[in-house]
Amino acid sequence: MVALVATTALVAFSLPLTLAYPSPQPLLGLPTGPAPITDPRFTTWNAPGSGDVRSPCPGLNALANHGFIHHNGKNLTIPHLVDGLAAGLNMGVDFTVLIGGAGLLASPNPLGGSFDLNQLDQHNFPIEHDASLSREDAYFGNDYSFNQKIWNMVLTVYKGKTTTDIPTAAKVLSARTQDEQKRDPQFTYGLREFIFRYGETALYLQTMSDPVSGVARLDFIRELFEKERLPVDLGWRPSTLPITLASLGVMVNNLFAANPQNGPEGVTIASNSYKDLIEGFIGGSEVLGNLTGGLSKQTGL
């Protein structure tokens, strides 16, 4: 039986949105923007070794494998994440502070200021969820390691295409939802999981291309998911524009517009749904401010 989480409907936009591009506020003293492509971290890749930890997120794992964040995956503070995610993927500070706050919430000591990647492996947390594009559902056991069988289902949807786009990515989400609804007797699919999954898709489309088009080379995406590696060797470069909560929110909306029948009954999506849902999951702006030592307020969250 599918478990649907009770939700409150949000105001939806029926047409695809375009992004009015604001720059996120920087954190004082921290660099923003990607590192020069000559930075040796882009071409240095080391698999996790004994004692290293990783998360269910291929992007974070890739950044650790390249050394943009601690290779051991431990003791991740928000300033460290802001620096590393900007340098490796041009992630905006607003996104990093918000998702970093969620990471701190996963730590046994949320007010301690740091967390480890493996602490993000919590079922229906912002990173782990049912119907992942590359991981098994928690019901079946290992929900954190790359699963080739699951990933093959995703590749089947592309049917020989060499690039992805918003309509095809939306079809992938629909196919994975339908598959897990049939396979997983404890499948959970409410508003929270729905938006986290759409946000995950917006993230890989934008980090592998840019914050606007949603058109990315499939070989870039495959290297990210299959090898947890930044595909510099294939010609990929970080986006020249920062990937922000605003850009992700617009793409979540546009993914939903491309495939609205894929949402749980009564769910509609607004351009700020992704930001609001993560912030609400954490407990609101005041809790986020306490977790981040006030850094969230500096970014306008």
Side-chain angles (χ1 to χ4, degrees), residues 32-250:
T32 59
I37 199 60
T38 54
D39 188 310
R41 290 175 292 183
F42 281 117
T43 52
T44 300
W45 184 94
N46 293 293
S50 177
D52 297 338
V53 297
R54 293 294 183 264
S55 77
C57 173
L60 287 173
N61 294 348
L63 289 170
N65 291 340
H66 281 272
F68 283 103
I69 60 177
H70 299 314
H71 185 265
N72 64 7
K74 299 177 181 179
N75 192 33
L76 303 176
T77 66
I78 288 184
H80 175 67
L81 289 169
V82 168
D83 190 9
L85 270 64
L89 291 172
N90 203 6
M91 298 303 304
V93 64
D94 57 348
F95 168 82
T96 304
V97 170
L98 186 60
I99 205 68
L104 292 174
L105 198 63
S107 168
N109 179 21
L111 294 178
S114 68
F115 64 94
D116 299 343
L117 286 179
N118 61 328
Q119 292 166 351
L120 300 176
D121 182 26
Q122 299 183 28
H123 188 42
N124 289 330
F125 196 71
I127 287 178
E128 195 282 335
H129 50 73
D130 286 339
S132 165
L133 301 183
S134 61
R135 269 71 174 166
E136 273 280 23
D137 283 10
Y139 174 80
F140 299 105
N142 183 344
D143 59 355
Y144 54 88
S145 299
F146 175 76
N147 185 292
Q148 188 67 56
K149 180 180 177 181
I150 296 295
W151 182 241
N152 287 343
M153 297 179 192
V154 171
L155 297 178
T156 298
V157 180
Y158 286 98
K159 297 180 180 177
K161 293 181 67 170
T162 59
T163 60
T164 188
D165 50 46
I166 287 174
T168 308
K171 289 179 183 178
V172 168
L173 286 165
S174 179
R176 287 291 299 122
T177 301
Q178 293 173 33
D179 179 69
E180 293 307 331
Q181 283 176 329
K182 296 173 184 175
R183 296 176 68 239
D184 184 352
Q186 296 181 8
F187 182 58
T188 302
Y189 191 51
L191 176 63
R192 183 170 70 180
E193 293 75 27
F194 176 77
I195 294 181
F196 288 160
R197 293 178 65 227
Y198 272 60
E200 171 188 277
T201 291
L203 274 167
Y204 82 73
L205 291 177
Q206 294 189 19
T207 56
M208 292 296 101
S209 60
D210 62 78
V212 179
S213 71
V215 177
R217 281 173 47 179
L218 190 58
D219 58 343
F220 290 176
I221 294 168
R222 291 191 64 171
E223 184 145 331
L224 178 69
F225 277 87
E226 295 173 11
K227 300 180 181 179
E228 297 188 337
R229 183 173 190 152
L230 299 178
V232 175
D233 59 321
L234 300 178
W236 169 87
R237 298 294 183 267
S239 168
T240 57
L241 292 173
I243 297 161
T244 67
L245 289 171
S247 69
L248 292 166
V250 166

Side-chain angles (χ1 to χ4, degrees), residues 264-280:
E265 184 177 355
V267 169
T268 53
I269 299 300
S271 61
N272 61 348
S273 296
Y274 184 62
K275 168 186 175 293
D276 289 349
L277 192 71
I278 298 177
E279 193 169 278

Side-chain angles (χ1 to χ4, degrees), residues 272-295:
N272 61 348
S273 296
Y274 184 62
K275 168 186 175 293
D276 289 349
L277 192 71
I278 298 177
E279 193 169 278
F281 175 85
I282 292 170
S285 59
E286 290 303 315
V287 173
L288 180 62
N290 290 335
L291 284 171
T292 64
L295 295 179

